[in-house]
Amino acid sequence: MPSWRTTLTTAGISGTRLRQDYTHAARRVLRREPAPYLALRLLAAPPLVPYLAAGLAFMNLVDDVAETGTPRQRAAGLAALTERVGTALKSKDSPDPVLRAFAHAVDSRGLPEHWVTRFLAGAATAEAGFDGFADEAGFQAYLDAYAWPGVLVFTGLQYQGGPDPEQAAGWRRFVDAAQRVDFLADLHGDLADGRLCIPLARLDEHSVIRADLEQARDTPAVRALLAAESRRARAALDATDGILDLAEPGLRPVIATMADLMAHQLTAVERAGAGALRRDVGYGLAAPLRILLRAAASRRPTSTRR
């Protein structure tokens, strides 16, 4: 793995201030999401790493503002952030090093700005005002408004000029699976925060009420509901087959690792059953390390003896 300085140079990022901006963005990702950061550093092609780190830092920044404080505070925070982002994209400057790095990445990689504005609009509506899903259509609308553009402000930077329609559609399938797995793995924490991320229509199908989930009742109906949701997540994960063919070669090892981690987490959810209502189902430590090390080892060139 090349040093961070070498990685910046390989990506063509020059100038003391700009290199510091990308370094600040990368450190923010490392603090908040160490596993994705390590996957990028270990597995992605160095010329892509700083841009993707800046995209992930921006995605996390928007998520944090959309999920912090009262509804009024979220709305105000996102309105102010949207204004700052617009200024940064237009002027290529900002008091915030994360926004400076992201604006440079968008400009350098040619990411269409409509993905950025769509993500910010979704943050202010679908995420900041989240009150659950009535049915599957509500879940799909949430993906379209927030989760899909959210993943593309990050992964879209792998493509010079942004993703084409086929690539964007592939990431739509990927985020469908990722969101289903994430909602199941975080059931306990989301319910504690007042968020129910399973559509109400599916609770009705199994004669389950919200209090059953909030009180972690281990009943046949609850187990059947969670098993059905896990099957939907598994089917969505299976539908992401082919995403590697749509990714740039330099990012394919990272995407394969992300898919492996999702599959590992979903298996843990399936095993937990109603236990997922009593504690969030994390990746653990051993499995991510094993998956990362295996992926890193597969990228090493095979040495030959003479």
Side-chain angles (χ1 to χ4, degrees), residues 42-271:
L42 287 169
L43 304 176
L48 292 176
V49 171
Y51 301 112
L52 291 165
L56 188 51
F58 173 72
M59 184 181 75
N60 290 341
L61 172 62
V62 176
D63 283 345
D64 290 344
V65 175
E67 296 173 0
T68 302
T70 65
R72 179 175 295 182
Q73 289 170 330
R74 295 177 185 182
L78 285 165
L81 179 58
T82 298
E83 184 175 351
R84 294 199 304 273
V85 171
T87 299
L89 293 175
K90 183 177 180 179
S91 68
K92 309 300 185 290
D93 197 11
S94 171
D96 186 338
V98 169
L99 296 187
R100 288 198 301 267
F102 181 65
H104 180 268
V106 169
D107 183 59
S108 299
R109 301 297 297 170
L111 180 70
E113 291 184 14
H114 70 78
W115 289 114
V116 181
T117 55
R118 185 171 174 176
F119 178 45
L120 288 165
T125 54
E127 180 63 10
F130 181 84
D131 60 356
F133 309 119
D135 50 25
E136 178 67 18
F139 171 71
Q140 294 297 329
Y142 175 88
L143 296 185
D144 284 333
Y146 182 63
W148 184 29
V151 80
L152 280 176
V153 298
F154 158 45
T155 61
L157 292 167
Q158 71 185 286
Y159 309 107
Q160 188 65 52
D164 64 27
E166 184 182 9
Q167 291 161 341
W171 286 105
R172 176 62 170 74
R173 294 191 299 274
F174 191 88
V175 79
D176 184 300
Q179 197 67 77
R180 290 179 194 275
V181 174
D182 185 64
F183 280 160
L184 285 171
D186 293 344
L187 262 175
H188 170 75
D190 283 341
L191 286 167
D193 291 337
R195 291 168 59 100
L196 173 59
C197 299
I198 298 176
L200 292 175
R202 296 218 272 273
L203 270 69
D204 291 341
E205 289 173 14
H206 292 273
S207 300
V208 172
I209 61 174
R210 181 169 181 150
D212 292 333
L213 304 180
E214 291 174 335
Q215 297 176 28
R217 292 171 181 157
D218 189 352
T219 67
V222 167
R223 291 195 296 273
L225 168 66
L226 297 180
E229 291 302 295
S230 294
R231 286 194 296 272
R232 286 187 176 90
R234 183 68 66 182
L237 193 56
D238 291 342
T240 65
D241 283 351
I243 187 66
L244 293 184
D245 295 332
L246 299 175
E248 288 295 297
L251 197 61
R252 286 173 188 168
V254 177
I255 306 309
T257 299
M258 290 169 63
D260 284 347
L261 285 170
M262 277 199 295
H264 166 77
Q265 191 170 33
L266 180 55
T267 297
V269 168
E270 291 166 340
R271 289 173 178 165

